[in-house]
């Protein structure tokens, strides 16, 4: 069942393809086909040939332009017989079972698809994909195969090479334009682009003076010839370049079309004049430099010689050069914009790094916090895994961030992930990433946190909430093994330092088989315990002032500080929510404070009990305790509290206390009660 396809394109036989039983041969324009026909009239997947029931069958795959076998149009299947010629676009494929029948006898010219006598064949030692046939006695060739090597730069980019042989002027212009466009793309600025464009024009056009004129960058409004600035100029005969006439420049700016003006000497509207008012140009070309249908400049060239003047071909060449200049200027503008954006981004990154570094500083001066800072300083330079433990809200992420910015990895990324906020499937995807189509909703590839933290630090908060199956994969990566994205097969290896944090009793979780024992010991290389805020009361006032300054800046308020009573209350409070609770309390107080000082009533403290070191809850501290006072002091405090409750309205206060207004005035004077400065004028008027 040997069979062959002898392929002919145009007037030459180009290839022989052996048909193998059991293998389908596809024909089409796409590169994935066994036989590729590079013709737009051929469909991407045009046809196929296969063996069925002992016969070779040709099937047209609903191609756009169809196929011919002989003179018959084929739609669907056709059983091939030796000598059939399949025609697809300009390509012919002769089906034969004996290669000796594929080519004409040199003497008799016999053959199923006989070539005219004297026609050249270009078969050579044609061997198809399998390389099964190479009998040079059968496959004769009148024209030997030749290969031309071009090891160096194409001659079209070498100056002067186009004129080495007899080439029509249009071909020379095309070669010069090709070289010029290539060179323009490598120039560093607009001035260099303009000089290079002028030099190219002087080589090709009949001119001896010219310039490139551009509008200022960011120019808006009407196009006025007086706004044009000479970026580059050149003259061969005259001592200096002369700008185009206002009429000529305005015409090109308005219409956006190139103009060739000849025999203009003496024409007051078209000719170029010098400072003495004398005419110089005999012919001139003015071509617009256009970007997005907007004229941004002109190329103005002219001739002062009577025997040399630009012609319409020079006009076409000048316009082509102007379009290439516009493209080069656009690319330069984009490069400059990208460079500026890159510099701006770098500055922003540096500022953000400084800001993040500042935000990672631990606020406080207590001995307990100083011990934490010493642990951070000792552990930061190493690659050891760190386990940070402490109650919720003590600032475990802040400690991890401080450790990152004190380490050699500070220029790398700091990536944080809360393991308790995601389900098991989503947590695996977040950690290791996923491929497109890995699961429902995975519409594109996603990079996991491990990859995102490469050469940086990955902080995993609430590590105790990680499921056992994820713990096993996580442990393997911690041991230095590579991993795969969800739904992927590519092995990925990263350089990441892991910092884990938890407020959970991991020892108890290990005893209950809720947390892997080996992962526990792998994480607990360096352990840092962050104490709760109640264990470092010396830091409460310092933290409160820090948050006060921060939220003053964010809200625009000008709260001056805390009253002594408010400071005393904060120091006595147990702070079950730790630093996070203190931060939120101060933020609320800054927003809602009615005076220039934060008072007791502005502090919204909870009654939730704080946890002990063993995890038990402490009873909340009583809001007030008995304090022996004189009756005068009790009366003073009661009157002061009532005045504050009424906004220092003396009439309402007197009514609530059940005394006359004059009596209240005497008691206010006796006890020296004064309202805040912001309400003093209003109070005195009352």
């Amino acid at each position: 069942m040997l069979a062959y396809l002898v392929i002919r394109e145009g007037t030459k036989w180009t290839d022989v393809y052996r048909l193998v039983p059991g293998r389908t041969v596809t024909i089409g324009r796409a590169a994935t086909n066994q036989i590729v026909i590079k013709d737009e009239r051929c469909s991407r997947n045009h046809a196929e040939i296969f063996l069925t029931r002992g016969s070779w069958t040709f099937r047209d795959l609903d191609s756009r332009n169809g196929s011919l076998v002989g003179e018959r149009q084929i739609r669907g299947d056709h059983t091939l017989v030796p000598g059939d010629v399949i025609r697809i676009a300009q390509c012919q494929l002769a089906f034969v079972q004996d290669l000796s029948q594929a080519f004409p006898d040199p003497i008799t010219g016999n053959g199923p698809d006989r070539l005219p006598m004297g026609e050249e064949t270009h078969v050579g030692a044609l061997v198809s994909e399998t390389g099964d046939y190479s009998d040079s006695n059968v496959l004769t060739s009148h024209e030997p195969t030749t290969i031309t090597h071009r090891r160096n730069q194409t001659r079209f980019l070498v100056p002067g090479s186009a004129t080495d042989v007899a080439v029509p002027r249009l071909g020379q212009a095309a070669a010069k334009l090709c070289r010029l466009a290539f060179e323009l793309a490598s120039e560093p600025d607009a001035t260099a682009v303009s000089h290079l464009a002028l030099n190219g024009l002087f080589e090709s056009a009949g001119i001896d003076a010219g310039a490139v004129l551009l509008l200022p960058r960011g120019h808006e409004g009407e196009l006025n010839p007086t706004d044009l600035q000479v970026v580059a100029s050149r003259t061969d005969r005259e001592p200096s370049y002369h700008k185009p006439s206002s009429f000529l420049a305005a015409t090109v700016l308005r219409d956006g079309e190139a103009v060739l003006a000849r025999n203009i000497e003496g024409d007051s509207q078209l000719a170029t004049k010098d400072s003495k008012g004398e005419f110089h140009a005999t012919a001139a070309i003015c071509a617009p430099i256009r970007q997005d249908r907007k004229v941004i400049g002109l190329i103005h060239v002219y001739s002062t010689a009577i025997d040399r003047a630009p012609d319409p071909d020079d006009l076409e060449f000048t316009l082509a050069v102007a379009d290439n200049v516009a493209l080069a200027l656009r690319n330069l503008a984009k490069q400059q914009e990208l460079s500026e954006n890159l510099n701006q981004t770098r500055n922003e990154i540096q500022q953000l790094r400084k800001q993040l570094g500042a935000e990672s500083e631990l606020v406080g001066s207590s001995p307990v916090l100083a011990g934490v800072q010493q642990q951070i300083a000792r552990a930061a330079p190493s690659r050891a895994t760190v386990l940070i433990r402490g109650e919720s809200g003590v600032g475990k992420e802040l400690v991890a961030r401080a450790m990152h910015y004190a380490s050699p990895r500070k220029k790398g990324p700091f990536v944080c992930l809360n393991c308790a906020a995601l389900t098991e499937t989503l947590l695996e995807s977040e950690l290791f990433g996923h491929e497109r189509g890995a699961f429902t909703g995975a519409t594109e590839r996603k990079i996991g946190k491990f990859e995102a933290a490469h050469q940086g630090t990955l902080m995993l908060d609430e590590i105790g909430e990680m499921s056992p199956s994820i713990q096993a994969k996580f442990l393997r990566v911690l041991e230095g093994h590579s991993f795969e994205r969800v739904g992927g097969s590519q092995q990925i290896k990263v350089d990441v330092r892991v910092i884990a944090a938890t407020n959970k009793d991991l020892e108890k979780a290990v005893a209950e088989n809720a947390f892997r024992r080996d992962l526990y010991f792998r994480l607990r290389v360096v352990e840092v315990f962050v104490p709760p805020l109640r264990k470092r009361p010396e830091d409460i006032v310092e933290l409160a002032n820090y948050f006060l300054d921060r939220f003053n800046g964010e809200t625009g308020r000008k709260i001056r500080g805390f009253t002594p009573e408010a400071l005393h209350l904060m120091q006595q409070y147990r702070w079950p929510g730790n630093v996070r609770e203190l931060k939120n309390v101060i933020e609320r107080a800054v927003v809602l404070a009615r005076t220039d000082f934060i008072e007791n009533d502005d502090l919204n403290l909870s009654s939730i009990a704080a946890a002990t070191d063993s995890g038990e809850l402490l009873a909340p501290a009583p809001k007030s305790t008995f304090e022996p006072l004189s009756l005068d002091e009790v009366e003073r405090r009661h009157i002061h509290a009532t005045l504050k409750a009424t906004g220092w309205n003396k009439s309402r206060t007197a009514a609530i206390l059940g005394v006359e207004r004059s009596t209240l005035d005497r008691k206010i004077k006796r006890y020296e009660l004064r309202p805040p400065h912001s309400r003093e004028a209003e109070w005195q008027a009352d």
Side-chain angles (χ1 to χ4, degrees), residues 153-164 172 175-180 182-183 196 199-200 203:
Q153 190 181 41
T154 171
R155 63 187 179 87
F156 288 114
L157 299 181
V158 178
S161 62
T163 58
D164 294 341
Q172 294 181 19
K176 290 179 180 178
L177 188 62
C178 173
R179 185 182 77 248
L180 185 61
F182 181 81
E183 294 173 348
L196 184 60
N199 293 337
E203 289 180 12

Side-chain angles (χ1 to χ4, degrees), residues 63-74:
S63 61
R64 184 180 62 227
N65 294 313
S67 310
L68 293 175
V69 176
E71 301 299 329
R72 180 184 172 190
Q73 182 82 21
I74 300 299

Side-chain angles (χ1 to χ4, degrees), residues 428 433-439 484-490:
E428 182 179 6
H434 64 252
E435 298 288 348
R436 179 179 179 182
F439 50 84
E484 300 173 357
R485 300 189 189 98
V486 178
S489 58
Q490 179 184 357

Side-chain angles (χ1 to χ4, degrees), residues 496-517:
V496 173
R497 183 185 190 179
V498 174
I499 299 178
T502 184
N503 61 359
K504 193 174 182 179
D505 188 347
L506 290 184
E507 289 78 8
K508 183 178 178 182
V510 170
E512 296 174 352
N513 293 323
F515 197 82
R516 292 179 63 101
R517 181 182 298 270

Side-chain angles (χ1 to χ4, degrees), residues 15-32:
D15 205 352
V16 174
Y17 196 94
R18 180 170 176 263
L19 301 177
V20 180
R23 182 183 299 177
T24 299
V25 177
T26 60
I27 306 169
R29 194 175 75 253
T32 54

Side-chain angles (χ1 to χ4, degrees), residues 632 635-636 639-640 643 650-651 653-654 657-674 683:
D632 286 347
E635 184 180 50
R636 187 192 73 80
I639 294 173
H640 183 259
L643 284 168
K650 290 185 285 187
S651 299
T653 301
L657 295 175
V659 298
E660 296 292 335
R661 167 70 179 268
S662 58
T663 303
L664 178 61
D665 287 335
R666 287 196 302 273
K667 290 184 180 292
I668 288 175
K669 185 175 181 181
R670 174 186 173 186
Y671 295 131
E672 299 180 348
L673 301 177
R674 304 293 299 176
W683 177 68

